[in-house]
PDB file of all heavy atoms in Angstrom:
ATOM      1  N   CYS A 225      -4.451  -8.352   6.539  1.00  0.00           N
ATOM      2  CA  CYS A 225      -4.987  -9.343   5.520  1.00  0.00           C
ATOM      3  C   CYS A 225      -5.121  -8.645   4.175  1.00  0.00           C
ATOM      4  O   CYS A 225      -5.581  -7.491   4.136  1.00  0.00           O
ATOM      5  CB  CYS A 225      -6.302  -9.914   5.900  1.00  0.00           C
ATOM      6  SG  CYS A 225      -6.234 -10.767   7.495  1.00  0.00           S
ATOM      7  N   GLY A 226      -4.771  -9.315   3.133  1.00  0.00           N
ATOM      8  CA  GLY A 226      -4.950  -8.720   1.787  1.00  0.00           C
ATOM      9  C   GLY A 226      -4.208  -7.395   1.709  1.00  0.00           C
ATOM     10  O   GLY A 226      -3.028  -7.319   2.014  1.00  0.00           O
ATOM     11  N   SER A 227      -4.921  -6.330   1.349  1.00  0.00           N
ATOM     12  CA  SER A 227      -4.235  -5.038   1.215  1.00  0.00           C
ATOM     13  C   SER A 227      -3.535  -4.672   2.502  1.00  0.00           C
ATOM     14  O   SER A 227      -2.397  -4.149   2.433  1.00  0.00           O
ATOM     15  CB  SER A 227      -5.342  -3.941   0.959  1.00  0.00           C
ATOM     16  OG  SER A 227      -5.854  -4.045  -0.387  1.00  0.00           O
ATOM     17  N   THR A 228      -4.041  -4.966   3.644  1.00  0.00           N
ATOM     18  CA  THR A 228      -3.394  -4.555   4.892  1.00  0.00           C
ATOM     19  C   THR A 228      -2.263  -5.502   5.220  1.00  0.00           C
ATOM     20  O   THR A 228      -1.356  -5.084   6.062  1.00  0.00           O
ATOM     21  CB  THR A 228      -4.428  -4.371   6.023  1.00  0.00           C
ATOM     22  OG1 THR A 228      -5.436  -5.427   5.962  1.00  0.00           O
ATOM     23  CG2 THR A 228      -5.127  -3.049   5.961  1.00  0.00           C
ATOM     24  N   VAL A 273      -3.054  -4.024  11.492  1.00  0.00           N
ATOM     25  CA  VAL A 273      -3.548  -2.982  10.578  1.00  0.00           C
ATOM     26  C   VAL A 273      -4.836  -3.557   9.898  1.00  0.00           C
ATOM     27  O   VAL A 273      -4.833  -4.655   9.354  1.00  0.00           O
ATOM     28  CB  VAL A 273      -2.495  -2.752   9.494  1.00  0.00           C
ATOM     29  CG1 VAL A 273      -2.885  -1.564   8.571  1.00  0.00           C
ATOM     30  CG2 VAL A 273      -1.133  -2.460  10.138  1.00  0.00           C
ATOM     31  N   SER A 274      -5.894  -2.815   9.955  1.00  0.00           N
ATOM     32  CA  SER A 274      -7.168  -3.262   9.342  1.00  0.00           C
ATOM     33  C   SER A 274      -8.088  -2.134   9.073  1.00  0.00           C
ATOM     34  O   SER A 274      -8.445  -1.389   9.960  1.00  0.00           O
ATOM     35  CB  SER A 274      -7.924  -4.231  10.366  1.00  0.00           C
ATOM     36  OG  SER A 274      -9.100  -4.562   9.889  1.00  0.00           O
ATOM     37  N   ARG A 275      -8.492  -1.970   7.728  1.00  0.00           N
ATOM     38  CA  ARG A 275      -9.339  -0.885   7.420  1.00  0.00           C
ATOM     39  C   ARG A 275     -10.638  -0.972   8.243  1.00  0.00           C
ATOM     40  O   ARG A 275     -11.008  -0.025   8.957  1.00  0.00           O
ATOM     41  CB  ARG A 275      -9.732  -0.893   5.942  1.00  0.00           C
ATOM     42  CG  ARG A 275     -10.904  -0.043   5.549  1.00  0.00           C
ATOM     43  CD  ARG A 275     -11.255  -0.118   4.074  1.00  0.00           C
ATOM     44  NE  ARG A 275     -11.774  -1.423   3.645  1.00  0.00           N
ATOM     45  CZ  ARG A 275     -12.180  -1.715   2.435  1.00  0.00           C
ATOM     46  NH1 ARG A 275     -12.148  -0.737   1.474  1.00  0.00           N
ATOM     47  NH2 ARG A 275     -12.578  -2.864   2.128  1.00  0.00           N
ATOM     48  N   SER A 276     -11.282  -2.122   8.180  1.00  0.00           N
ATOM     49  CA  SER A 276     -12.599  -2.319   8.900  1.00  0.00           C
ATOM     50  C   SER A 276     -12.406  -2.451  10.421  1.00  0.00           C
ATOM     51  O   SER A 276     -13.334  -2.122  11.167  1.00  0.00           O
ATOM     52  CB  SER A 276     -13.275  -3.576   8.385  1.00  0.00           C
ATOM     53  OG  SER A 276     -12.462  -4.682   8.650  1.00  0.00           O
ATOM     54  N   GLY A 277     -11.307  -3.046  10.807  1.00  0.00           N
ATOM     55  CA  GLY A 277     -11.088  -3.376  12.223  1.00  0.00           C
ATOM     56  C   GLY A 277     -11.969  -4.499  12.643  1.00  0.00           C
ATOM     57  O   GLY A 277     -12.240  -4.740  13.846  1.00  0.00           O
ATOM     58  N   GLU A 278     -12.549  -5.294  11.627  1.00  0.00           N
ATOM     59  CA  GLU A 278     -13.465  -6.390  11.945  1.00  0.00           C
ATOM     60  C   GLU A 278     -13.051  -7.724  11.329  1.00  0.00           C
ATOM     61  O   GLU A 278     -13.769  -8.663  11.546  1.00  0.00           O
ATOM     62  CB  GLU A 278     -14.828  -5.988  11.369  1.00  0.00           C
ATOM     63  CG  GLU A 278     -15.500  -4.701  11.948  1.00  0.00           C
ATOM     64  CD  GLU A 278     -15.823  -4.778  13.414  1.00  0.00           C
ATOM     65  OE1 GLU A 278     -15.901  -5.879  13.939  1.00  0.00           O
ATOM     66  OE2 GLU A 278     -16.021  -3.693  14.072  1.00  0.00           O
ATOM     67  N   THR A 279     -11.956  -7.741  10.589  1.00  0.00           N
ATOM     68  CA  THR A 279     -11.580  -8.976   9.919  1.00  0.00           C
ATOM     69  C   THR A 279     -11.250 -10.063  10.919  1.00  0.00           C
ATOM     70  O   THR A 279     -10.399  -9.852  11.821  1.00  0.00           O
ATOM     71  CB  THR A 279     -10.294  -8.670   8.982  1.00  0.00           C
ATOM     72  OG1 THR A 279     -10.750  -7.718   8.040  1.00  0.00           O
ATOM     73  CG2 THR A 279      -9.874  -9.935   8.296  1.00  0.00           C
ATOM     74  N   THR A 282      -7.562 -11.167  11.648  1.00  0.00           N
ATOM     75  CA  THR A 282      -6.747 -10.182  12.362  1.00  0.00           C
ATOM     76  C   THR A 282      -7.115 -10.192  13.858  1.00  0.00           C
ATOM     77  O   THR A 282      -6.228 -10.148  14.662  1.00  0.00           O
ATOM     78  CB  THR A 282      -6.961  -8.762  11.756  1.00  0.00           C
ATOM     79  OG1 THR A 282      -6.724  -8.847  10.358  1.00  0.00           O
ATOM     80  CG2 THR A 282      -6.088  -7.696  12.394  1.00  0.00           C
ATOM     81  N   VAL A 326     -15.295  -1.773  -1.987  1.00  0.00           N
ATOM     82  CA  VAL A 326     -14.638  -2.954  -1.356  1.00  0.00           C
ATOM     83  C   VAL A 326     -13.151  -2.803  -1.487  1.00  0.00           C
ATOM     84  O   VAL A 326     -12.390  -3.004  -0.549  1.00  0.00           O
ATOM     85  CB  VAL A 326     -15.116  -4.200  -2.073  1.00  0.00           C
ATOM     86  CG1 VAL A 326     -14.248  -5.411  -1.659  1.00  0.00           C
ATOM     87  CG2 VAL A 326     -16.568  -4.508  -1.886  1.00  0.00           C
ATOM     88  N   ALA A 327     -12.670  -2.443  -2.701  1.00  0.00           N
ATOM     89  CA  ALA A 327     -11.195  -2.348  -2.860  1.00  0.00           C
ATOM     90  C   ALA A 327     -10.689  -1.101  -2.140  1.00  0.00           C
ATOM     91  O   ALA A 327     -11.163   0.007  -2.302  1.00  0.00           O
ATOM     92  CB  ALA A 327     -10.891  -2.290  -4.392  1.00  0.00           C
ATOM     93  N   GLN A 328      -9.652  -1.299  -1.394  1.00  0.00           N
ATOM     94  CA  GLN A 328      -9.088  -0.214  -0.616  1.00  0.00           C
ATOM     95  C   GLN A 328      -8.281   0.738  -1.537  1.00  0.00           C
ATOM     96  O   GLN A 328      -7.509   0.275  -2.365  1.00  0.00           O
ATOM     97  CB  GLN A 328      -8.137  -0.755   0.461  1.00  0.00           C
ATOM     98  CG  GLN A 328      -8.849  -1.639   1.499  1.00  0.00           C
ATOM     99  CD  GLN A 328      -7.981  -2.010   2.627  1.00  0.00           C
ATOM    100  OE1 GLN A 328      -6.971  -1.407   2.873  1.00  0.00           O
ATOM    101  NE2 GLN A 328      -8.364  -3.027   3.442  1.00  0.00           N
ATOM    102  N   MET A 335      -3.786   4.908   5.790  1.00  0.00           N
ATOM    103  CA  MET A 335      -3.185   4.131   6.901  1.00  0.00           C
ATOM    104  C   MET A 335      -1.633   4.063   6.697  1.00  0.00           C
ATOM    105  O   MET A 335      -0.859   4.154   7.697  1.00  0.00           O
ATOM    106  CB  MET A 335      -3.751   2.724   6.940  1.00  0.00           C
ATOM    107  CG  MET A 335      -5.206   2.667   7.459  1.00  0.00           C
ATOM    108  SD  MET A 335      -5.796   0.954   7.707  1.00  0.00           S
ATOM    109  CE  MET A 335      -6.098   0.429   6.007  1.00  0.00           C
ATOM    110  N   LEU A 403      -2.952  -5.916  -6.562  1.00  0.00           N
ATOM    111  CA  LEU A 403      -4.292  -6.326  -6.072  1.00  0.00           C
ATOM    112  C   LEU A 403      -5.388  -5.406  -6.578  1.00  0.00           C
ATOM    113  O   LEU A 403      -6.489  -5.888  -6.904  1.00  0.00           O
ATOM    114  CB  LEU A 403      -4.246  -6.368  -4.496  1.00  0.00           C
ATOM    115  CG  LEU A 403      -5.533  -6.909  -3.840  1.00  0.00           C
ATOM    116  CD1 LEU A 403      -5.738  -8.362  -4.256  1.00  0.00           C
ATOM    117  CD2 LEU A 403      -5.360  -6.800  -2.298  1.00  0.00           C
ATOM    118  N   LYS A 404      -5.070  -4.151  -6.707  1.00  0.00           N
ATOM    119  CA  LYS A 404      -6.113  -3.204  -7.268  1.00  0.00           C
ATOM    120  C   LYS A 404      -6.489  -3.642  -8.640  1.00  0.00           C
ATOM    121  O   LYS A 404      -7.707  -3.700  -9.029  1.00  0.00           O
ATOM    122  CB  LYS A 404      -5.608  -1.780  -7.286  1.00  0.00           C
ATOM    123  CG  LYS A 404      -5.382  -1.088  -5.952  1.00  0.00           C
ATOM    124  CD  LYS A 404      -6.583  -1.195  -5.005  1.00  0.00           C
ATOM    125  CE  LYS A 404      -6.482  -2.415  -4.112  1.00  0.00           C
ATOM    126  NZ  LYS A 404      -7.154  -2.514  -2.901  1.00  0.00           N
ATOM    127  N   GLU A 407      -8.491  -6.944  -8.310  1.00  0.00           N
ATOM    128  CA  GLU A 407      -9.834  -6.831  -7.690  1.00  0.00           C
ATOM    129  C   GLU A 407     -10.748  -6.004  -8.628  1.00  0.00           C
ATOM    130  O   GLU A 407     -11.887  -6.398  -8.766  1.00  0.00           O
ATOM    131  CB  GLU A 407      -9.672  -6.062  -6.344  1.00  0.00           C
ATOM    132  CG  GLU A 407      -9.084  -6.861  -5.217  1.00  0.00           C
ATOM    133  CD  GLU A 407      -8.967  -6.052  -3.934  1.00  0.00           C
ATOM    134  OE1 GLU A 407      -8.794  -4.838  -4.030  1.00  0.00           O
ATOM    135  OE2 GLU A 407      -9.070  -6.733  -2.881  1.00  0.00           O
ATOM    136  N   LEU A 517     -15.989 -10.569  -4.099  1.00  0.00           N
ATOM    137  CA  LEU A 517     -15.410 -10.031  -2.885  1.00  0.00           C
ATOM    138  C   LEU A 517     -16.372  -9.439  -1.935  1.00  0.00           C
ATOM    139  O   LEU A 517     -17.417  -8.928  -2.384  1.00  0.00           O
ATOM    140  CB  LEU A 517     -14.342  -8.923  -3.305  1.00  0.00           C
ATOM    141  CG  LEU A 517     -13.060  -9.374  -3.978  1.00  0.00           C
ATOM    142  CD1 LEU A 517     -12.136  -8.188  -4.151  1.00  0.00           C
ATOM    143  CD2 LEU A 517     -12.392 -10.495  -3.208  1.00  0.00           C
ATOM    144  N   ASP A 518     -16.002  -9.447  -0.675  1.00  0.00           N
ATOM    145  CA  ASP A 518     -16.776  -8.694   0.339  1.00  0.00           C
ATOM    146  C   ASP A 518     -15.831  -7.667   0.981  1.00  0.00           C
ATOM    147  O   ASP A 518     -14.587  -7.897   1.026  1.00  0.00           O
ATOM    148  CB  ASP A 518     -17.276  -9.656   1.482  1.00  0.00           C
ATOM    149  CG  ASP A 518     -18.258 -10.648   0.884  1.00  0.00           C
ATOM    150  OD1 ASP A 518     -19.200 -10.232   0.183  1.00  0.00           O
ATOM    151  OD2 ASP A 518     -18.078 -11.830   1.066  1.00  0.00           O
ATOM    152  N   ALA A 519     -16.410  -6.585   1.488  1.00  0.00           N
ATOM    153  CA  ALA A 519     -15.485  -5.566   2.067  1.00  0.00           C
ATOM    154  C   ALA A 519     -14.724  -6.076   3.349  1.00  0.00           C
ATOM    155  O   ALA A 519     -13.638  -5.708   3.595  1.00  0.00           O
ATOM    156  CB  ALA A 519     -16.339  -4.343   2.463  1.00  0.00           C
ATOM    157  N   VAL A 520     -15.459  -7.041   4.022  1.00  0.00           N
ATOM    158  CA  VAL A 520     -14.841  -7.591   5.218  1.00  0.00           C
ATOM    159  C   VAL A 520     -14.970  -9.083   5.209  1.00  0.00           C
ATOM    160  O   VAL A 520     -16.052  -9.639   4.915  1.00  0.00           O
ATOM    161  CB  VAL A 520     -15.511  -7.056   6.538  1.00  0.00           C
ATOM    162  CG1 VAL A 520     -14.780  -7.586   7.800  1.00  0.00           C
ATOM    163  CG2 VAL A 520     -15.567  -5.534   6.511  1.00  0.00           C
ATOM    164  N   VAL A 521     -13.897  -9.843   5.497  1.00  0.00           N
ATOM    165  CA  VAL A 521     -13.958 -11.327   5.577  1.00  0.00           C
ATOM    166  C   VAL A 521     -14.213 -11.722   6.979  1.00  0.00           C
ATOM    167  O   VAL A 521     -13.392 -11.531   7.893  1.00  0.00           O
ATOM    168  CB  VAL A 521     -12.613 -11.925   5.033  1.00  0.00           C
ATOM    169  CG1 VAL A 521     -12.686 -13.468   5.226  1.00  0.00           C
ATOM    170  CG2 VAL A 521     -12.460 -11.582   3.548  1.00  0.00           C
TER     171      VAL A 521
HETATM  172  C1  F1P B 108      -8.821  -6.865   4.597  1.00  0.00           C
HETATM  173  C2  F1P B 108      -9.324  -7.362   3.230  1.00  0.00           C
HETATM  174  C3  F1P B 108      -8.983  -6.327   2.165  1.00  0.00           C
HETATM  175  C4  F1P B 108      -9.469  -6.763   0.867  1.00  0.00           C
HETATM  176  C5  F1P B 108     -11.004  -7.029   0.908  1.00  0.00           C
HETATM  177  C6  F1P B 108     -11.351  -7.968   2.029  1.00  0.00           C
HETATM  178  O1  F1P B 108      -9.689  -5.983   5.152  1.00  0.00           O
HETATM  179  O2  F1P B 108      -8.715  -8.490   2.880  1.00  0.00           O
HETATM  180  O3  F1P B 108      -7.603  -6.181   2.121  1.00  0.00           O
HETATM  181  O4  F1P B 108      -9.208  -5.770  -0.153  1.00  0.00           O
HETATM  182  O5  F1P B 108     -11.612  -5.764   1.171  1.00  0.00           O
HETATM  183  O6  F1P B 108     -10.729  -7.508   3.279  1.00  0.00           O
HETATM  184  P1  F1P B 108      -9.309  -5.097   6.490  1.00  0.00           P
HETATM  185  O7  F1P B 108      -8.888  -6.053   7.583  1.00  0.00           O
HETATM  186  O8  F1P B 108      -8.174  -4.228   6.130  1.00  0.00           O
HETATM  187  O9  F1P B 108     -10.581  -4.395   6.816  1.00  0.00           O
END
Side-chain angles (χ1 to χ4, degrees):
C225 299
S227 290
T228 39
V273 189
S274 174
R275 167 181 64 177
S276 63
E278 301 293 343
T279 299
T282 306
V326 169
Q328 299 189 15
M335 287 188 285
L403 186 62
K404 292 309 94 159
E407 285 180 329
L517 289 188
D518 297 310
V520 184
V521 175

